[in-house]
């Protein structure tokens, strides 16, 4: 930090003039243990050039610029709000000398991976200049070995009681600036603490609100980051809103400060907090209390608990008012069958109509907690949302982020397919029917509807990898499929982690049953072998209840039934194709023949409804041998 042009006298006088007792100091004054005169004076008369020069001769070094200019403006300073209580005068400072033997301990922790900063810290204790004369077991240490291009020395604050590494500041001025900000933050809630600085920072918060709603969120973030350091009301909560959308909902604590105490903010902010809490609560572990991070009344607490319960069981639905609310409902219906790209385009187009329910709400954060629409708003789209003018503001639109779903089916052949635990997947498509019709065509319980996708902790697989159901016979192979609709209007059911190794001798394709809806039905089943290559590829096609043709490719052997069209014949499709492209070419042929596709993002995020199908195996016939083995873990 270059200190040229910085007026220490003006800075310190402003600090002194703005001083009022903190809450703790006011209590001490009321109890009579402390006199106002003992608290109200922060600085000291300036040191003379001669006094500073004498200190430099005694220490054998010239002091760094910002600290030297500070002494010439005030020969010491009171910092009662910190664990450092008093900075000494020029004649009181001296070399620290590492009286507690910290150097060996820090040097022992160094290894070949230690970075430059860690090496500097290990040597700091022996060469540091000690500035404080009164503290709570804490030390303010200037390090002449850690310097910058302006000749500034880094300042370390070590709190001996904390067990933590020292906090580093790039210069003495940076340290004092942070202490001044903390002085403000300590008093921000006091009604009598009003001055030019608080008014300026509050004006920054107002400006940041306009910048954010106009789509200039990065400029808003810079303003709010400074205002937050000063503890200005609302700044921290608004900054957290920008961060959640720009970075995603992380694990652990997601708080918005005192904004949660405003009932107008509950619908936008609390669902995101509930989502972070639910994601961080792993099955089988004691659940942490759902904390709001601010003092609220009983009504807000009850509303928050109700929202948390709905987020936890997957029944929460984000439902704002007005035109934006109607767009949200339409987008949810589109996304729930897999078209997340289309849903995002609808939301993005409606963003200008969104209105904040309270002045300090900057964006429709409740979207993130909706189990269907939340996964649509990826981190990149969160930034696009922030860059889109809202609440009637106008401004330049950012370049839309690319769609997430690749066309067709070939993406299934990519390696590392969203961490699927098994090398097998299977899918059925039914032409001319809505997804809600699939239970009646291929469902195990034909009278039951589709089930909601399961609520799962972050990082878990978005598909069922459970054990065989209790009512499932050993020979049965029921698929748990995610159900949706393709862009060309086919209903589909996709099992991304089939537990069996492909069609066996008891296999009966569900294509015939799926085609009872009146159109065609297609079934694809892929099992991968060594190095990710398909060891089995099955295709079967039916129409109006009758199977038309099918083939199963195992290595180089092909089993056929019916007349397979030339465009799908594996021998023709794979002519001259290398092993690495077998699966992709076969999928591309199916895609080209029927115009089929699958929504990668919706499947990867696990937002589609589920269906348990009837068995893809028939029962063994009389006289047919069938063997199986059951393995159970645990002690005998």
């Amino acid at each position: 930090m270059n200190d040229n042009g910085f007026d220490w006298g003006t800075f310190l006088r402003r600090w002194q003039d703005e001083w009022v007792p903190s809450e703790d100091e006011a209590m001490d004054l009321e109890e009579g243990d402390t006199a106002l005169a003992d608290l109200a004076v922060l600085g000291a008369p300036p040191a003379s050039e001669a006094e500073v020069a004498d200190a430099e001769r005694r220490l054998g070094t010239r002091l760094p610029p910002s600290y030297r200019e500070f002494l010439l403006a005030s020969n010491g300073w009171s910092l009662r709000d910190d664990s450092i209580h008093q900075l000494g005068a020029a004649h009181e400072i001296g070399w620290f000398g590492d009286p507690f033997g910290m150097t060996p301990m820090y040097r022992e922790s160094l290894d070949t991976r230690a970075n430059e900063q860690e090496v500097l810290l290990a040597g700091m204790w022996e060469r540091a200049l000690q500035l404080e004369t009164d503290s709570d077991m804490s030390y303010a240490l200037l390090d002449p070995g850690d310097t910058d291009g302006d000749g500034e020395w880094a300042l370390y604050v070590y709190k001996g009681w904390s067990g933590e590494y020292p906090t580093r500041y790039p210069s003495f001025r940076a340290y004092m600036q942070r202490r001044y900000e903390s002085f403000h933050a300590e008093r921000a809630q006091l009604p009598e603490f009003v001055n030019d600085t608080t008014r300026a920072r509050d004006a920054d918060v107002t400006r940041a609100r306009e910048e954010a709603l106009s789509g200039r969120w990065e400029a808003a973030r810079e303003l709010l980051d400074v205002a937050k350091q000063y503890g200005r009301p609302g700044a921290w909560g608004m900054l957290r809103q920008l961060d959640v959308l720009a970075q995603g909902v992380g694990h652990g604590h997601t708080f918005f400060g005192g904004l949660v105490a405003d009932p107008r903010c509950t619908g936008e902010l609390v669902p995101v907090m509930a989502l972070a809490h639910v994601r961080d609560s792993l099955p089988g572990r004691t659940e942490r209390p759902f904390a709001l991070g601010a003092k609220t009344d009983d009504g807000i607490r009850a509303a928050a608990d109700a929202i948390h319960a709905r987020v936890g069981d997957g029944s929460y639905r984000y439902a704002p008012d007005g035109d934006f609310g109607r767009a949200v409902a339409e987008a949810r219906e589109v996304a729930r069958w897999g078209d997340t790209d289309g849903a995002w385009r609808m939301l993005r187009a409606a963003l200008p109509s969104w209105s904040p329910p309270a002045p300090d709400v900057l964006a429709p954060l409740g979207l993130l907690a909706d189990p269907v629409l939340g996964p649509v708003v990826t981190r990149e789209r969160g930034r696009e949302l922030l860059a889109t003018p809202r609440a009637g503001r106008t401004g330049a639109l950012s370049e839309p982020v690319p769609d997430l779903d690749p066309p067709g089916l070939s993406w299934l052949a990519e390696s590392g397919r969203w961490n699927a635990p098994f090398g097998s997947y299977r899918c059925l498509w039914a032409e001319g029917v809505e997804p809600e019709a699939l239970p009646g065509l291929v469902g195990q319980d034909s009278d039951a509807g589709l089930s909601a996708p399961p609520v799962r902790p972050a990082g878990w697989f978005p598909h069922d990898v459970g054990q065989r159901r209790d009512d499932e016979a050993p020979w049965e192979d029921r698929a748990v499929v995610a159900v949706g609709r393709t862009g060309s209007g086919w209903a589909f059911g996709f099992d991304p982690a089939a537990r069996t190794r492909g069609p066996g001798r008891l296999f009966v394709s569900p294509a015939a049953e799926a085609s009872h809806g009146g159109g065609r039905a297609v079934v694809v089943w892929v099992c991968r072998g060594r190095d990710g290559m398909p060891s089995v590829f099955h295709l079967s096609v039916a129409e109006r209840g009758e199977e038309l043709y099918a083939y199963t490719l195992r290595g180089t052997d092909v089993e056929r039934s019916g007349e397979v069209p030339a465009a799908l014949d594996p021998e023709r499709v794979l002519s001259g194709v290398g092993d690495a492209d077998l699966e992709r070419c076969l999928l591309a042929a199916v895609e080209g023949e029927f115009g089929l596709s699958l929504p990668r993002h919706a499947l990867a995020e696990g937002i589609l409804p589920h269906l348990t199908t009837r068995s893809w195996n028939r029962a063994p016939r009389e006289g047919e041998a069938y063997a199986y083995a059951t393995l159970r873990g645990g002690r005998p």
Side-chain angles (χ1 to χ4, degrees), residues 205 208-209 212-213 217 220-221 224 228 233-249 254-260 262 264-270 272-273 318 354-366 368 377 379 382-383 385-386 390:
V205 172
R209 184 184 299 113
L213 293 175
W217 69 276
R221 198 189 187 289
L224 291 171
K228 178 204 70 174
W236 192 75
M238 286 194 279
L239 186 64
R240 286 298 299 136
Q241 294 175 55
L242 300 181
D243 287 346
V244 165
L245 277 166
Q247 301 171 12
V249 181
T254 297
F255 296 132
F256 299 98
L259 298 185
V260 183
D262 185 341
R264 297 173 297 174
C265 301
T266 302
E268 293 287 5
L269 304 184
V270 171
V272 180
M273 300 171 65
Y318 178 57
W354 174 81
S355 295
D360 290 344
V361 177
L362 302 180
L365 265 73
L368 301 179
V377 188
R379 186 176 304 179
R383 295 191 180 105
L385 185 157
L386 291 173
R390 305 176 294 285

Side-chain angles (χ1 to χ4, degrees), residues 51-74:
E51 288 176 305
V52 174
D54 284 344
E56 290 176 330
R57 280 192 295 272
R58 174 172 56 83
L59 297 170
T61 187
R62 183 174 177 82
L63 296 173
S66 65
Y67 181 60
R68 198 176 197 281
E69 292 301 315
F70 160 77
L71 292 173
L72 293 173
S74 179

Side-chain angles (χ1 to χ4, degrees), residues 137-181:
M137 294 180 60
S138 300
Y139 308 91
L141 306 173
L142 275 173
D143 181 9
D146 186 352
T147 62
D148 65 13
D150 297 316
E152 294 289 356
W153 303 2
L155 186 145
Y156 291 85
V157 172
Y158 176 60
K159 299 177 181 179
W161 42 266
S162 72
E164 299 174 351
Y165 278 86
T167 301
R168 181 186 182 275
Y169 302 86
S171 67
F172 177 78
R173 178 186 162 189
Y175 168 70
M176 288 294 280
Q177 178 65 37
R178 184 68 196 102
R179 296 276 59 77
Y180 174 64
E181 294 164 353

Side-chain angles (χ1 to χ4, degrees), residues 190-542:
L190 299 177
E192 67 272 20
F193 190 63
V194 179
N195 49 60
D196 287 345
T197 302
T198 62
R199 284 188 283 267
R201 298 291 79 77
D202 288 342
D204 286 345
V205 172
T206 300
R207 181 182 160 201
R209 184 184 299 113
E210 284 302 308
E211 293 285 333
L213 293 175
S214 300
R216 297 183 290 273
W217 69 276
E218 290 171 306
R221 198 189 187 289
E222 291 180 4
L223 292 167
L224 291 171
D225 195 40
V226 174
K228 178 204 70 174
Q229 299 285 65
Y230 285 83
R232 300 319 302 157
W236 192 75
M238 286 194 279
L239 186 64
R240 286 298 299 136
Q241 294 175 55
L242 300 181
D243 287 346
V244 165
L245 277 166
Q247 301 171 12
V249 181
H251 304 317
H253 306 300
T254 297
F255 296 132
F256 299 98
L259 298 185
V260 183
D262 185 341
R264 297 173 297 174
C265 301
T266 302
E268 293 287 5
L269 304 184
V270 171
V272 180
M273 300 171 65
L275 177 64
H277 184 266
V278 168
R279 286 186 173 183
D280 203 38
S281 300
L282 296 177
R285 295 189 182 180
T286 302
E287 184 175 308
R288 296 180 295 104
F290 178 43
L292 296 179
K295 186 176 181 180
T296 64
D297 61 30
D298 292 343
I300 291 177
R301 181 71 255 183
D305 288 341
I307 290 172
H308 181 267
R310 295 199 300 275
V311 171
D313 65 18
S315 64
Y316 171 77
R317 297 294 182 270
Y318 178 57
D321 296 329
D323 291 342
F324 187 70
R326 286 186 283 274
V328 165
E330 293 173 7
R332 183 185 297 112
E333 183 63 20
V334 169
R336 71 185 289 250
W337 300 123
D339 186 8
T340 56
D341 290 331
W344 172 245
R345 287 190 288 271
M346 297 174 70
L347 292 172
R348 184 180 61 201
L351 277 173
S353 68
W354 174 81
S355 295
D360 290 344
V361 177
L362 302 180
L365 265 73
L367 272 172
L368 301 179
D370 190 294
V372 175
L373 293 177
V376 172
V377 188
T378 61
R379 186 176 304 179
E380 293 75 18
R381 285 173 172 169
R383 295 191 180 105
E384 185 180 353
L385 185 157
L386 291 173
T388 302
R390 305 176 294 285
R393 273 60 170 188
T394 58
L397 297 177
S398 63
E399 188 71 21
V401 299
D403 285 349
L404 296 175
D405 283 337
L409 302 174
S410 297
W411 64 267
L412 286 166
E414 296 174 1
S415 59
R417 185 172 48 90
W418 23 272
N419 295 326
F422 306 125
S424 178
Y425 62 88
R426 53 188 170 181
C427 186
L428 63 88
W429 292 266
E431 185 180 26
V433 299
E434 290 300 313
E436 295 97 333
L438 286 184
L441 296 173
V442 296
Q444 174 64 27
D445 302 312
S446 58
D447 294 332
L450 301 171
S451 60
V455 177
R456 56 190 173 87
W460 283 43
F461 295 124
H463 40 68
D464 174 31
V465 292
Q467 301 299 315
R468 181 180 296 274
R469 288 171 37 159
D470 291 340
D471 62 344
E472 191 172 354
W475 53 265
E476 287 187 290
D477 177 21
R478 304 177 193 173
V480 179
V481 296
V483 174
R485 182 192 299 116
T486 71
S488 55
W490 295 56
F492 70 81
F494 184 73
D495 176 8
R499 293 188 294 270
T500 56
R501 296 303 302 166
R505 62 184 179 83
L506 300 182
F507 168 68
V508 177
S509 171
E513 292 179 333
S515 69
H516 279 296
R520 294 170 296 176
V522 177
V523 167
V524 167
W525 192 341
V526 175
C527 296
R528 288 181 174 158
R530 184 174 299 178
D531 299 325
M533 302 303 173
S535 58
V536 178
F537 189 100
H538 170 83
L539 170 69
S540 49
V541 178

Side-chain angles (χ1 to χ4, degrees), residues 14-22 25 29 36 39-42 80-81 183 187 193 195:
R14 182 170 69 245
W15 194 339
Q16 177 67 74
D17 292 344
E18 292 173 348
W19 184 87
V20 298
S22 66
E25 289 170 335
L29 290 171
L36 182 62
L39 295 177
V41 178
L42 305 181
R80 283 179 292 272
D81 291 330
F183 157 79
R187 294 157 176 78
F193 190 63
N195 49 60

